[in-house]
Amino acid sequence: MALVRNWWKGLGVLLVLGSITIGLLTKTGPGVAVVSPGVVDASSTFSFTLTGYNTDFYGESAPSVWLKYKDRLFCADAVLVEDIKTLRVSFPPFDHRIDTVSRIATSVLIEDEVNGMFLGLDALQLNFNEVAVDTTTGCSIRPDKLEAIKFQFPFRTTLYETIRNLNFHVPMWFAMIAVLFLSWIASIRNLNSGDRKWDHLAYGFATAGLLFGIAGITTGAFWARFTWGTFWTADPKLNGAAIGVLLFVAYQILRSSIDDEDKVARISSVYNVLAFPIFIVLIIILPVLAKFSLHPGSGDSVGFKQYDLNNNLRMVFYPAVLGWVLVATWVGQLISRVKAIEEEQEMNAHE
Amino acid sequence: MSNLKSIRKWLMLALLAAGTHSGAFAGNLLDDTFFRDGKYYVVAGILIIIFLVLFIFLIRLDRKVTKLEKEQKS
């Protein structure tokens, strides 16, 4: 019977364990780690060395390389495979500029049968001496848009393998928002009914929310240190989240600063009813409105647009979110149950 | 009280260790771990932080339940 009633806790544990397992075992797809030199003179023959990440250039077919500028593609003259992750690529000179400015950033596109098609975004800058502008479409050989069949996460420079942290760091925030919403509902019901059991639930879920908020902030800061280079930076998303978490630190302080149990329940409920909408504004609405943010996901608040090409991240991310929301609900429920017993014992002690 | 003292002692030791490391070794240490190859250590770090937070919760819950059990008996 207890097993049937607690099915959601089991589901939460399964989803969390599953998302950690698949999130750790999935490989990161091939990518361009370094293009050297990064700036070349395009008016004469030029070449560069491309260092790949998670690539295998020892396949049967030689890789094809293009330079991509907007929707135009330019074919390489020669591609030499130096080793499993290094290519030496040469291009013929450009007779004309391909845009009105004298320097443009082009992306390097690589395709072969083993790695599929992948792109080094804005990896190579071209300098032009000629003034005349050429608008031809570039070369006629187009990529076949081969896809590597393997299930893999997309490669991003600076992120490397840490792209999978999306499945661990972001669900913390979803879990926090979910249990704080439950806490908000419980606070409203407590104010309506005056039944103390709703206050226990409100307290439990708010505490669980704070716990997951702290996990979200610390994992985020740690991830930022080794990708952006700093634990913290003045950014609308980061500061919004920090103030959001502080709102619920204040909730805890408010509760512990009042002695009368009845007053604790009512005052903290009123505070919670007001705090949750402000929290939502800080953590969802303001970041979406912000014009600049280092943190990915302006407008979609998670960052898929920037991170995902092949939907594989999503397939791990959504189960992870559901799993952590269920686990956070479980944590909140446990805290509220202990709270209920605590209060009952205190009442018995007074009698 | 002795608890607080031992915490302070460990904190001092940790700071001392961090201090001696930061001068000569910290650069290499970071390059060898969190900045190495695919930055895979960062993923491990993130998971450890999440489980640390969960364990802190467990310890707190354990303490509360122990307190309740004692009161129940008395």
Side-chain angles (χ1 to χ4, degrees), chain A residues 203-281:
Chain A
Y203 169 75
F205 288 136
T207 311
L210 181 59
L211 204 74
F212 279 85
I214 291 168
I217 287 237
T218 42
T219 54
F222 189 75
W223 191 4
R225 173 66 186 82
F226 300 105
T227 46
W228 303 343
T230 172
F231 284 110
W232 199 265
T233 170
D235 186 282
K237 283 210 177 78
L238 273 60
N239 286 345
I243 300 167
V245 170
L246 284 178
L247 275 178
F248 289 90
V249 174
Y251 174 85
Q252 300 287 334
I253 297 171
L254 178 71
R255 286 192 75 103
S256 60
S257 62
I258 306 170
D259 287 331
D260 185 337
E261 297 285 345
D262 258 332
K263 271 187 188 163
V264 170
R266 263 181 292 140
I267 293 173
S268 66
S269 289
V270 171
Y271 176 86
N272 199 7
V273 168
L274 290 171
F276 182 71
I278 300 171
F279 170 75
I280 290 297
V281 167

Side-chain angles (χ1 to χ4, degrees), chain A residues 36-336:
Chain A
S36 164
V39 186
V40 291
D41 178 15
S43 50
S44 57
T45 308
F46 61 90
S47 58
F48 56 86
T49 305
L50 183 147
T51 313
Y53 181 82
N54 271 358
T55 49
D56 179 5
F57 292 139
Y58 282 158
E60 281 179 16
S61 66
S64 311
V65 178
W66 290 265
L67 282 184
K68 185 173 184 289
Y69 181 71
K70 292 180 181 166
D71 52 359
R72 297 158 72 182
L73 288 173
F74 302 93
C75 295
D77 245 1
V79 179
L80 182 75
V81 177
E82 289 195 342
D83 62 44
I84 197 159
K85 57 170 194 172
T86 316
L87 294 179
R88 185 79 193 158
V89 190
S90 340
F91 277 84
F94 284 85
D95 295 331
H96 304 283
R97 287 184 183 191
I98 50 177
D99 207 338
T100 47
V101 286
S102 61
R103 177 185 278 201
I104 55 164
T106 57
S107 301
V108 183
L109 187 72
I110 301 115
E111 182 181 61
D112 64 55
E113 275 168 11
V114 180
N115 304 298
M117 186 176 77
F118 63 100
L119 183 80
L121 194 68
D122 294 341
L124 184 71
Q125 298 206 15
L126 300 184
N127 277 336
F128 295 97
N129 298 326
E130 304 293 328
V131 184
V133 177
D134 177 21
T135 51
T136 53
T137 49
C139 90
S140 56
I141 305 165
R142 316 303 278 188
D144 299 322
K145 295 188 176 164
L146 297 173
E147 269 185 59
I149 17 165
K150 288 164 273 180
F151 183 86
Q152 55 194 13
F153 293 144
F155 169 88
R156 286 292 175 278
T157 43
T158 75
L159 286 179
Y160 292 87
E161 300 293 343
T162 71
I163 193 160
R164 67 197 69 236
N165 282 348
L166 182 89
N167 301 317
F168 311 132
H169 160 72
V170 184
M172 297 294 116
W173 296 105
F174 276 77
M176 182 194 192
I177 295 167
V179 288
L180 287 181
F181 177 69
L182 292 177
S183 171
W184 187 61
I185 300 284
S187 281
I188 292 174
R189 300 209 68 162
N190 174 55
L191 285 177
N192 280 341
S193 67
D195 188 343
R196 198 68 72 71
K197 85 173 187 213
W198 293 113
D199 180 58
H200 300 150
L201 281 170
Y203 169 75
F205 288 136
T207 311
L210 181 59
L211 204 74
F212 279 85
I214 291 168
I217 287 237
T218 42
T219 54
F222 189 75
W223 191 4
R225 173 66 186 82
F226 300 105
T227 46
W228 303 343
T230 172
F231 284 110
W232 199 265
T233 170
D235 186 282
K237 283 210 177 78
L238 273 60
N239 286 345
I243 300 167
V245 170
L246 284 178
L247 275 178
F248 289 90
V249 174
Y251 174 85
Q252 300 287 334
I253 297 171
L254 178 71
R255 286 192 75 103
S256 60
S257 62
I258 306 170
D259 287 331
D260 185 337
E261 297 285 345
D262 258 332
K263 271 187 188 163
V264 170
R266 263 181 292 140
I267 293 173
S268 66
S269 289
V270 171
Y271 176 86
N272 199 7
V273 168
L274 290 171
F276 182 71
I278 300 171
F279 170 75
I280 290 297
V281 167
L282 284 170
I283 206 158
I284 297 176
I285 298 173
L286 278 186
V288 170
L289 289 177
K291 283 208 173 63
F292 173 78
S293 175
L294 201 54
H295 194 286
S298 283
D300 71 349
S301 79
V302 180
F304 284 131
K305 278 177 198 151
Q306 236 163 311
Y307 281 166
D308 205 3
L309 291 176
N310 53 16
N311 278 333
N312 292 345
L313 272 174
R314 274 196 179 87
M315 286 164 71
V316 187
F317 176 75
Y318 289 132
V321 165
L322 181 61
W324 281 108
V325 164
L326 291 174
V327 168
T329 311
W330 185 7
V331 168
Q333 190 220 36
L334 275 179
I335 298 172
S336 76

Side-chain angles (χ1 to χ4, degrees), chain A residues 261 338-339 341-343 345-346, chain B residues 59-74:
Chain A
E261 297 285 345
V338 170
K339 182 81 191 162
I341 299 172
E342 247 176 5
E343 260 195 34
Q345 282 200 353
E346 264 171 46
Chain B
I59 292 166
R60 283 192 42 164
L61 195 72
D62 188 292
R63 276 195 194 151
K64 266 191 183 164
V65 172
T66 311
K67 209 182 93 187
L68 287 176
E69 282 168 344
K70 272 183 193 159
E71 276 170 22
Q72 191 88 44
K73 273 179 199 157
S74 64

